[in-house]
Amino acid sequence: MVPSIKQILTHGILALLLVMAMAFSIAAIPNAMNYQWIVFFFMAATPTQIIIGILWQNNLPFIKGLDQKPQPYKGIILTLISALSGLVIGSLTILTLAKGNWILSPQLSHYMIIVIITTIWLAVVVNFWPFIGRVKNIVGVGILTLILAYTLAYLIWVLFFNYESVAGLAPWYLDILDPKGAFNFVNAIVFIISCCPIILYLALFDSWILDRWTGGKQPVKTIINTLLVLVITFAFQSFFVEVIKMDIMVYMVLVPICMVFGVFLVNNMTQFLLFEKTSQPLKGLYKIIVATSMGLLMYAIYYNLSPYITGEDLAAGKTGSYRLDLWIADIMLGISFPLILVLTGFFSFWPIKKRLKK
């Protein structure tokens, strides 16, 4: 039975409040470095969460009968598996890229962010090609997709990221984590992050855009839609940074990060049922309006509550070393985003739905 719009919104609002309460509790950890480690391992677990959610439909095909398990048991198992994945992959990343130096650097976090976005690209734009349909085992498709996501992320990181501008200046700089690629790391990471909302906004139109000129045929679909994403991202970012002269770091948080967060609120928090009966392209346009509004609203909430959560007045912008901007970015996509996937996907809104039924 499809829930009513009132039920959908009630479940979504309560789930959002619960996610915010959990995210604020984590962000209130007194030791800033401990908090950053949590963000890092949360990000390390996110690609696996995406595979579990999108490809495996919030199930683990290699665990027989898990889809029949009641909540919260199913949710606990899915969460433990994704957490274990994050712990293992995060540790392996430190052991390989950082040569075993257990010193958390934004350089490592940037690599993890790229992995998350390449995973989203492989899931949404590529639809798990070339593995889907060729690899009969759906578990194999997921594992191979993750391997490809990490490989592509490494190539992007090595080819395009350069940290020499902060060598000798930033205390977190590690020469072994500097690929000395083609672009300054700020420009590179902001562009990569800007690709994410473009991918997700195009996906809000279902196949109306992504399959419009290709009929869904591979590899034509992958090539054309990837070029489409890159061109739109370049024009989109250029408008904000070059035309209206928005500070690039402020832009990163206020525009693409808020947009990404808004999409997951609109889709996941409403069980993908918002505007379900509306035809495309109006359905996509309505979702974009709501997603953008929700993203900006959440930015305002996190911005104004930050002094009460952190216990200090973090300064925003260049003069404040972007401390508040980066904090909002971390709590939005580093903490709240994976918690949304866990609550709405792994636990299927438990215990909210269970409580409301009583």
Side-chain angles (χ1 to χ4, degrees):
M1 180 179 176
V2 179
S4 66
I5 187 65
K6 180 180 178 181
Q7 290 174 316
I8 291 170
L9 294 178
T10 301
H11 293 157
I13 292 170
L14 291 176
L16 177 58
L17 292 175
L18 183 55
V19 165
M20 289 172 62
M22 291 188 289
F24 290 161
S25 299
I26 294 171
I29 293 174
N31 188 304
M33 183 50 67
N34 289 341
Y35 171 63
Q36 288 301 321
W37 277 112
I38 291 174
V39 173
F40 174 76
F41 282 108
F42 265 51
M43 289 194 297
T46 302
T48 302
Q49 287 183 301
I50 294 170
I51 295 297
I52 293 174
I54 297 179
L55 180 63
W56 295 340
Q57 296 295 296
N58 294 306
N59 187 32
L60 296 174
F62 50 85
I63 299 181
K64 187 176 181 180
L66 179 61
D67 57 332
Q68 304 300 321
K69 294 288 184 182
Q71 297 291 4
Y73 305 107
K74 179 182 176 182
I76 291 172
I77 293 172
L78 291 172
T79 302
L80 288 176
I81 292 295
S82 64
L84 179 62
S85 168
L87 182 62
V88 171
I89 292 174
S91 299
L92 287 175
T93 301
I94 292 170
L95 291 172
T96 53
L97 296 188
K99 303 297 188 293
N101 287 282
W102 287 82
I103 301 173
L104 187 57
S105 166
Q107 294 159 285
L108 286 173
S109 298
H110 292 163
Y111 172 69
M112 284 300 178
I113 291 170
I114 303 170
V115 177
I116 293 170
I117 295 171
T118 54
T119 306
I120 292 174
W121 175 75
L122 288 169
V124 176
V125 175
V126 180
N127 298 136
F128 303 101
W129 181 83
F131 308 119
I132 199 77
R134 297 186 181 183
V135 179
K136 294 182 180 180
N137 190 324
I138 197 69
V139 176
V141 173
I143 292 173
L144 289 172
T145 300
L146 280 175
I147 293 172
L148 181 57
Y150 280 93
T151 303
L152 289 173
Y154 180 76
L155 291 175
I156 292 169
W157 188 65
V158 168
L159 292 174
F160 301 114
F161 279 68
N162 189 309
Y163 297 86
E164 290 179 307
S165 61
V166 295
L169 299 174
W172 48 261
Y173 175 84
L174 289 174
D175 186 64
I176 57 173
L177 285 173
D178 188 354
K180 298 180 175 62
F183 300 102
N184 178 276
F185 73 96
V186 173
N187 295 323
I189 193 62
V190 172
F191 185 81
I192 290 293
I193 290 175
S194 294
C195 286
C196 195
I198 302 304
I199 292 171
L200 296 175
Y201 271 36
L202 290 175
L204 291 179
F205 292 91
D206 302 319
S207 60
W208 191 80
I209 290 180
L210 293 178
D211 290 339
R212 192 170 184 82
W213 299 282
T214 66
K217 294 180 180 180
Q218 297 288 14
V220 178
K221 176 180 177 178
T222 295
I223 296 170
I224 291 180
N225 286 334
T226 299
L227 290 174
L228 180 66
V229 168
L230 293 175
V231 169
I232 294 176
T233 300
F234 179 79
F236 183 79
Q237 180 174 320
S238 295
F239 171 77
F240 284 96
V241 177
E242 302 297 334
V243 177
I244 67 175
K245 304 298 181 182
M246 182 181 287
D247 182 288
I248 192 167
M249 293 296 289
V250 174
Y251 153 80
M252 179 186 73
V253 180
L254 188 58
V255 183
I257 287 180
C258 284
M259 289 167 67
V260 171
F261 197 54
V263 170
F264 283 96
L265 290 179
V266 166
N267 277 340
N268 295 66
M269 289 301 190
T270 63
Q271 305 165 62
F272 294 85
L273 295 174
L274 192 64
F275 304 119
E276 185 63 22
K277 296 181 180 180
T278 305
S279 60
Q280 296 290 8
L282 286 179
K283 177 182 176 181
L285 290 173
Y286 291 159
K287 282 193 172 185
I288 284 176
I289 294 170
V290 176
T292 304
S293 302
M294 286 300 299
L296 292 173
L297 174 62
M298 294 308 299
Y299 175 91
I301 292 173
Y302 286 160
Y303 184 100
N304 287 288
L305 291 181
S306 64
Y308 306 101
I309 299 164
T310 63
E312 57 180 315
D313 289 317
L314 300 176
K318 188 175 182 179
T319 56
S321 300
Y322 304 106
R323 290 184 66 203
L324 180 56
D325 307 277
L326 294 175
W327 180 85
I328 292 175
D330 281 343
I331 195 170
M332 270 191 172
L333 294 191
I335 298 295
S336 300
F337 168 42
L339 287 176
I340 288 172
L341 298 182
V342 168
L343 180 60
T344 64
F346 294 180
F347 283 91
S348 301
F349 287 85
W350 183 92
I352 294 170
K353 286 186 177 182
K354 181 178 179 181
R355 296 293 181 186
L356 291 178
K357 286 179 181 178
K358 290 186 177 181

